[in-house]
Amino acid sequence: MIALLRPSTAISKPISGRGAWAVRYAAHDAPGFTIILRGECWIAFDGEPPLKLETGAFLLLPTTPAFTLSSHPGMAGTPRDPMDVPVRHGEQEGEADFEALGGTFCIETANAPLLLALLPRMIHVRPPRGDRCGSAG
């Protein structure tokens, strides 16, 4: 189904953070994605409990609602506008304890309303947990 949307013109950027931080983004009409490269963060959509995103998690939003991204759940976010350049949240000095790659992309407009209506509002791929074969070594 995603192939039918013909995604193109991806805009991606590194996102990092250190310490306690929270940012708030308004809804925007473009599909969004993020993959957590290291550490963890929390994403909260209006009226829903926060969702923890850990190293290896991938999140795809066919349309991007307003959300808060933070180092800890329940924090109020500072309003931010989406940017096409690397973003550092929280403490600006020192090694980041959170790193991700995030962005948006364009989709084919002809069939987009129909196809987007068929997709879930969020696709969250969680990272694998430990050894799937159950061995102790």
Side-chain angles (χ1 to χ4, degrees):
M1 188 173 302
I2 292 173
L4 293 174
L5 291 170
R6 298 184 192 163
S8 64
T9 318
I11 297 170
S12 64
K13 65 184 173 290
I15 303 166
S16 62
R18 179 178 171 88
W21 54 269
V23 291
R24 174 86 176 152
Y25 290 95
H28 50 281
D29 221 8
F33 68 90
T34 190
I35 184 166
I36 309 305
L37 303 173
R38 186 169 66 91
E40 63 185 44
C41 70
W42 293 83
I43 190 165
F45 302 101
D46 292 346
E48 298 182 27
L51 174 65
K52 185 177 186 179
L53 300 175
E54 301 173 278
T55 301
F58 176 76
L59 187 68
L60 174 66
L61 302 168
T63 60
T64 305
F67 68 93
T68 299
L69 189 68
S70 62
S71 59
H72 299 86
M75 296 178 69
T78 302
R80 296 284 301 257
D81 290 322
M83 300 180 347
D84 298 349
V85 297
V87 177
R88 171 74 179 243
H89 301 302
E91 298 171 18
Q92 298 299 301
E93 300 297 323
E95 183 179 351
D97 48 30
F98 162 76
E99 294 177 345
L101 181 65
T104 61
F105 51 92
C106 297
I107 56 175
E108 177 66 37
T109 57
N111 296 322
L114 173 63
L115 292 172
L116 288 174
L118 297 174
L119 287 172
R121 66 171 184 76
M122 174 177 65
I123 298 169
H124 178 205
V125 180
R126 290 175 172 82
R129 293 281 181 207
D131 183 1
R132 294 183 176 246
C133 295
S135 65

